[in-house]
Amino acid sequence: MSNTELIRKLRAALKPENVLSVPSELVVYDCDAFTVERHIPLAVVFPRSAVQVAEVVRACSDHGCPVVARGAGTGLAGGCTPPPNGVVIVLTRMNKILDIRLRDAMALVEPGVLNLQLTNALSGTGYHFAPDPSSQGTATIGGNVATNAGGPHTLKYGVTVNHVAGLEVVLGDGSILQFGPVEDPAALDLARVVCGSEGTLAIVTKIWAKLTKNPQACRTIRATFASIDDASQAVSQIIAAGIVPAALELMDRGILDAVEAAFALGVPPEAAAVLIIELDGPEAGLDSLLEQVIALCRNWNPGEVLQAKTPAERELLWKCRKMAVGAVGRLSPGYMIQDGVVPRTRLPHIFRRILEIAAKHRVRIVNVAHAGDGNVHPILLLDERDRDLTARAKAASREVLEECITCGGSITAEHGVGIEKIELMEKLFAPADLRAMHRVRQAFDPASQLNPGKKYKTICQ
Amino acid sequence: MSNTELIRKLRAALKPENVLSVPSELVVYDCDAFTVERHIPLAVVFPRSAVQVAEVVRACSDHGCPVVARGAGTGLAGGCTPPPNGVVIVLTRMNKILDIRLRDAMALVEPGVLNLQLTNALSGTGYHFAPDPSSQGTATIGGNVATNAGGPHTLKYGVTVNHVAGLEVVLGDGSILQFGPVEDPAALDLARVVCGSEGTLAIVTKIWAKLTKNPQACRTIRATFASIDDASQAVSQIIAAGIVPAALELMDRGILDAVEAAFALGVPPEAAAVLIIELDGPEAGLDSLLEQVIALCRNWNPGEVLQAKTPAERELLWKCRKMAVGAVGRLSPGYMIQDGVVPRTRLPHIFRRILEIAAKHRVRIVNVAHAGDGNVHPILLLDERDRDLTARAKAASREVLEECITCGGSITAEHGVGIEKIELMEKLFAPADLRAMHRVRQAFDPASQLNPGKKYKTICQ
């Protein structure tokens, strides 16, 4: 079958207005937010249902053409960069909230529903959707499932997989399956393995999302420290004390400069690092827990400990944190954000190493971190026009991730492996582990048609 | 290779004293606590390490001989009944607690460690292992993982999979893999799919168990009701109010008769059903939550609401609940305990149907239930010498499970499918679902050597 025939078939299945095949339109879909590698796809399709997704998968399969599912394209690791000569299945028009059942604390959504769209729809019900990546205003829930997305509140509430009760998926052979939403102990837990598989096992066409009760109360503070080392020691102590804050975020001086310029958060200029700590739960006992947290911070000589006194003050704190990466545009024409994870006790070490690696490669690195999770997000400032700087940034980036592996951590906590980190998988996992993953992938997608070349390489058996 | 050669090979690998092959010794291993189907195995082996398990798996594979892993044999669905002409790998001599790391809230244990052995070892540390099946004094943690075991406190703390941070496993080809214990977002979550796979994907040789902090305080009450219907309506209302008790257990009059005879719990004879409700968490707010629960019970005219005032009173309540099934011996020479699950709103319905089914088949059924989970455990009284009664009990048992499926529930919540319920899998799942499970099974165990004939039938692709 020629490409023209495939496109004709896709148009017939989806109506012509849902299939793009003109190069000037296709170029928009040549990468996600990882812009280093790009491939112009053969076609881009906008299905409206699982049946249409299945038709596309089957047509492409007949044509020997790989497919990749894509949501909003906010992915940072190239997870939905088109495979060479592939078809992009954009799920953003499958964007309906199909059902909200508060009694079961569950919502049934299509994969193109935006993360924040669901939480907004729940406004006033006393429930919310817990995963809250910083991109939640634009990222889709389908994409959250594919990357197993986290966010500041992951510390207490867990990454996306913990908020998925069931999935409807299309497999590589075009069959449509449903896992859940009632957890069935008689079944193998296949929904779980699909979460975070970055589109390599199945294309998700419906999600039964678990809803989380809004906490009765919360307390949000920001504490400044004279060094990033002091701040990360405080994090390690809070976690070691058995306290589970709702969120425990760190920003260093570098990122604070950007945040101050953009939002005037009002952090004193002498502060080298800030922790944002949120506690939530029943009102009773929350203040004494807060005192305990502040006392642990005091062991590390905080400069200033301020509590958000109004919802507006709390919102400003979270806005500053969530928009921090965007504000980096004030520091540099370009940047690369990394996503590594280490045991919490190794946080002071990894921040020290990041400083050393930055100096060694002559790259400025500023830091945000879901510190409570041991999840660091060093942001490497660069200018893509400066090839030498870009190359040094990439080398530094890789060295940071290798250091995370050495610490007993991993190369991603929430962004995924995509194509960006695929070379590091062999450093992280033994051949037998990779073989086991590959075999499971084959069980779902025998022809390796779904998003080949991502997460793990195809391995000969 | 002849059987004799295989046994010689096993003796060489494990030392002769760790291999049984004399019929009079083998007969002990012909079934687990599901006694209806029995097969005398070819041999029974007692490995001491993952390497030995792998050697056994490889030797049996060369011989074309299936294997089944077995812990204490407390399984109720025949999950570790030997496959015909198979070898039983007993893991009870791999019974060491290898490490307890409180800072990480984790323990590394061998699969033969008893559930209660771990919790006892943690005494005084402020932590415990949360899964608490009624068999916890004899059941192994490896068996808990294989069946994804629950218990009364599953309601709040979740079944075993939620308490597993990592696994070391032996696959069907004899390779030894480790999943976790640090959750690696770069990997597929293969540990999760092994939990509850009833020995059909892999043999677990080490478990990194997550430890749970002991709650600061708890309140335990028992409330009596004039009918099982009233009691189950109260359960449904408590759950619908968004309250998550640590445990919410139901016992009906039939089982109470046995419990009274055995332990003198002191429930008034006019009570038709009892709820045991436990709340736990921070001391602050616990009493007001308890009041709320009692108020919800009062909507259904409880006869008596008593609170355990001392640890001894609480222990008696739990002893009565956990030993209840054993006490059934006072009512009948034999029994069959079932394990179905329904949405909590359907609890009143399923108990009504259980009564009707009992009458229709002329079988006495008494009930315990993890009611908060919608998990019913009807106990069908029988005498195995009475073939007609036994046949009627089996028919009633099947009808109860089919009713659970009709209600949108499942045929097992915590006992597993084993061989007992394998015929019902096709009623519960669509062919495409079963095919997906089978393919994943093949990914782990291409030759279907691990526990064939359990959980799902081998399906032609």
Side-chain angles (χ1 to χ4, degrees), chain A residues 103 173 177-178 184-189 192 197 236 240 284 345 410 412-413 417 425 428-429 432-433 436-437 439 443 455, chain B residues 103 173 177-178 184-189 192 197 236 284 345 410 412-413 417 425 428-429 432-433 436-437 439 443 455:
Chain A
R103 182 155 189 176
D173 64 0
L177 285 191
Q178 183 182 322
D184 196 322
L188 296 180
D189 189 352
R192 179 88 185 191
S197 65
S236 184
T345 47
S410 184
T412 177
V417 174
M425 288 292 275
L428 188 57
F429 296 108
D433 296 325
M437 289 184 222
R439 279 195 203 151
K455 197 170 179 84
Chain B
R103 182 156 187 173
D173 65 0
L177 285 192
Q178 182 182 322
D184 197 322
L188 296 180
D189 190 351
R192 178 90 187 189
S197 66
S236 185
T345 47
S410 184
T412 176
V417 175
M425 288 292 274
L428 187 58
F429 296 108
D433 296 324
M437 289 184 223
R439 280 194 203 153
K455 197 171 178 85

Side-chain angles (χ1 to χ4, degrees), chain A residues 391-410:
Chain A
R392 280 182 280 125
K394 279 189 195 168
S397 185
R398 186 180 168 106
E399 204 168 329
V400 169
L401 294 178
E402 287 177 342
E403 187 70 31
C404 288
I405 297 175
T406 307
C407 288
S410 184

Side-chain angles (χ1 to χ4, degrees), chain A residues 29-290:
Chain A
Y29 297 91
D30 70 352
C31 69
D32 57 15
F34 176 73
T35 58
V36 176
E37 189 172 330
R38 299 165 187 260
H39 299 286
I40 294 183
L42 195 65
V44 175
V45 299
F46 298 85
R48 305 273 180 166
S49 68
V51 170
Q52 288 192 343
V53 171
E55 283 181 282
V56 171
V57 168
R58 272 193 296 260
C60 291
S61 169
D62 294 345
H63 190 66
C65 163
V67 298
V68 60
R70 176 188 162 115
T74 55
L76 289 155
C80 56
T81 304
N85 220 21
V87 167
V88 177
I89 301 177
V90 183
L91 297 167
T92 50
R93 293 186 193 168
M94 290 173 65
N95 61 354
K96 284 188 289 299
I97 298 174
L98 299 171
D99 192 16
I100 292 179
R101 279 162 25 207
L102 293 181
R103 182 155 189 176
D104 295 325
M106 211 184 283
L108 175 59
V109 302
E110 292 186 318
V113 169
L114 303 187
N115 177 298
L116 205 57
Q117 181 188 346
L118 177 56
T119 285
N120 288 343
L122 292 165
S123 167
T125 64
Y127 286 86
H128 68 289
F129 183 57
D132 63 337
S134 296
S135 58
Q136 68 187 140
T138 40
T140 64
I141 295 177
N144 297 166
V145 171
T147 55
N148 208 356
H153 291 80
T154 294
L155 174 55
K156 180 164 180 177
Y157 296 98
V159 291
T160 302
V161 67
N162 301 288
H163 305 280
V164 169
L167 295 175
E168 181 193 76
V169 301
V170 174
L171 299 191
D173 64 0
S175 58
I176 301 173
L177 285 191
Q178 183 182 322
F179 309 135
V182 177
E183 206 170 303
D184 196 322
L188 296 180
D189 189 352
L190 300 186
R192 179 88 185 191
V193 79
V194 168
C195 289
S197 65
E198 304 185 42
T200 64
L201 299 190
I203 298 176
V204 172
T205 49
K206 273 194 197 109
I207 299 124
W208 282 265
K210 290 184 195 170
L211 307 179
T212 300
K213 262 201 143 183
N214 298 345
Q216 190 186 28
C218 74
R219 301 285 185 274
T220 313
I221 62 166
R222 78 167 206 231
T224 63
F225 294 84
S227 73
I228 195 166
D229 206 76
D230 285 345
S232 53
Q233 296 281 11
V235 170
S236 184
Q237 269 202 351
I238 290 166
I239 298 296
I243 298 166
V244 184
L248 209 180
E249 299 285 310
L250 183 149
M251 295 192 280
D252 76 356
R253 183 71 251 168
I255 194 87
L256 284 170
D257 286 342
V259 165
E260 287 300 340
F263 310 111
L265 179 57
V267 172
E270 69 275 13
V274 159
L275 292 182
I276 299 177
I277 310 174
E278 187 159 282
L279 303 171
D280 71 11
E283 180 63 48
L286 210 50
D287 281 320
S288 70
L289 192 64
L290 181 65

